[in-house]
Structures are given as C-alpha cells and as structure tokens.
Amino acid sequence: MGVVNVTPDSFSDGGRYLDAGAAVAHGRALLAEGADTLDVGGESTRPSAGPVTAGEELRRVVPVVGGLAEAGARVSVDTSKLAVARAALDAGAVYVNDVTAFRADPGLAGLVAERAAGCCLMHMLGEPRTMQDHPRYDDVVSDVKAFLEARMAFAVAEGVPETAIELDPGIGFGKTVEHNLELLRRLDELVALGRPVVVGVSRKQFLGRITGREVPAERVFATLAANVLALERGAAVFRVHDVAASRDALLVAAATLAG
Ligand code: HH2
C-alpha cells in the first residue's frame, strides 16, 4: 500500500504533494514501482497535527482519488470523516482506512457496508494531539487485540462483512518505542484474529529513535527491516512511502519464507 499524502503537514512528506497534479503523478509513480493499493489522505495524523475541516479535506482528496482511480489504481481513502469517505467512494475509492476504527464517525461503518467497500480498522490510544503523552497499557498486545476485536464486532454489527475488514495495530499511535517493538515482535497474536493485518511502520519516529536518523526520508533501511520482520510474523499489508525498496525487500523475504 503506497502512501499519497495530500497535506501541507504530514510528518515525512508534508507539502510535497498538496497540488492535485503532483499527488496524482506521485501515485502513478508508486503504481509503477509496484504498489497494489494507493492510500490517499488529506489530514495528517502526526502527533500535534491540527484538525482539518471536512470541506478542506474533500477539496484535497477527491480530485486525487478520481485521478488515480482513472489511472487504474485500487484506491483507499485515509479518513475518519463520513462526508470525505462518501465523496471518495463516489470518485472511485474502494477501501476506507480509518485510523479511529469508526469511533470518530460511527456512520462510516454503515457507509462501508452499503458500498461493499473494504476497510482498515486501526488502534490508536487517545487522539493525535495527545496520544504520545505517556501512553500506558496493561499489556500492549492484549489491549490492542481486545480493542481490534471489539471494533471488528461493531463493524460486523453495522453490516460490514468480516471478509471486508483488515486490522492494524497503529504503530506510533499512542505508543512508546518499546510498545511498537512489542507489537511487531508479537504480531502473530493479532494475526490470530483471522483477518489480514496491516502495518504502518514507514519512516516513523521509533525507527529514528533506534537509528539516530532525525530526517524521516532517511529511515528507509530501518523501514525495510521492520517490514520484513512483520512479514515473517504474518503481516499481510505494508503501508509505505518507499514502494520500490519495500517491494524488493518483501519479495525476497516472502520467497525465502516460502521455501
Ligand atoms: N499511519 C499514518 C497514517 N495513516 N493508517 C494506517 N492504517 N496505519 C498507519 O500506521 C498509519 C495510517 C501516519 O503516516 P503518514 O500518513 O505518512 O503521516 P501523516 O499522518 O503525518 O500524514
């Protein structure tokens, strides 16, 4: 899953693809590099990011979703807002990636069901503005697993078929470095829920903390290491900024594991 951020403030590429034409060109490049899905987002979720109105998010996202769907991409929309998701599905998206797992806007579940779309339900502790202020868990893996189970039950009760659901531990969303590592180490416990597990480690801060790399774009090698280990523990979808590098690393890892 290649990331297309149509934002001025995303943590690793904010402002680079705010123009719709530049974002579509970037998405096309990621497709050429081997992305299966493009995840288009118009609101940064980095710690301390400010909120974006539905109108502004729509204005950013819809033309890019339309342009990439026209180019033949399988498009996901990264949003927590019903109006944005609806417009993106109208414009050709087929998947809703909601970092609040339908908590911000419970009506999203009904929309996903009605449109027979796919969805990703992600764990986040608190909300972006405060999520990195001393996050605490009894046991991070058990807590995240129980949360994902409950959100999946909610989605199913709202009419989303279980087969349309993918689950994501939300790496970096209200987690310390050690919480993130523990989730990756024990990812098989989330895979045991029986749905494809999505991981988003790409260029994230915990990788910078381990390697000493301050600049997110310099965390590509670190990203590959984390993704390869996540694959080995059963992850199915890898949300990444660097598609070509990730594709090669994951193909080699997958071929090795298959032997
Ligand atoms: N991470 C980010 C955004 N959306 N969605 C899922 N399912 N999983 C993730 O780990 C995830 C996500 C953050 O990365 P990015 O989009 O590059 O940054 P920003 O939120 O600053 O735009």
Side-chain angles (χ1 to χ4, degrees), residues 3 5 7 9-13 39 43-46 78 97 99 120 122 168 170-171 173 198-201 204 239 241:
V3 179
N5 282 325
T7 61
D9 58 346
S10 285
F11 80 94
S12 87
D13 55 5
D39 189 36
E43 178 177 25
S44 172
T45 51
R46 76 188 157 84
D78 186 348
N97 173 26
V99 298
C120 178
M122 195 197 80
D168 186 331
I171 298 295
F173 287 84
V198 180
V199 287
V201 297
K204 281 187 178 165
R239 184 182 181 277
H241 301 85

Side-chain angles (χ1 to χ4, degrees), residues 54 57-58 61-62 65-66 75-98 102 105-115 117-118:
E57 201 179 323
L58 273 171
V61 155
V62 171
V65 168
V75 180
S76 158
V77 61
D78 186 348
T79 190
S80 306
K81 296 189 185 79
L82 184 63
V84 176
R86 182 180 288 122
L89 293 172
D90 287 344
V94 295
Y95 186 98
V96 177
N97 173 26
D98 180 7
F102 302 153
D105 210 329
L108 261 178
L111 176 73
V112 166
E114 182 192 310
R115 302 294 185 92

Side-chain angles (χ1 to χ4, degrees), residues 4 31 44 47 52 59 61 77 96 99-100 102 107 109 115 149 151 166 175 194 212 221-223 230 238 243 249 258:
V4 180
L31 278 184
S44 172
V52 176
R59 199 186 58 71
V61 155
V77 61
V96 177
V99 298
T100 77
F102 302 153
R115 302 294 185 92
E149 234 172 342
R151 297 316 297 166
E166 299 181 343
K175 281 120 188 156
F221 304 123
T223 298
F238 304 85
V243 170

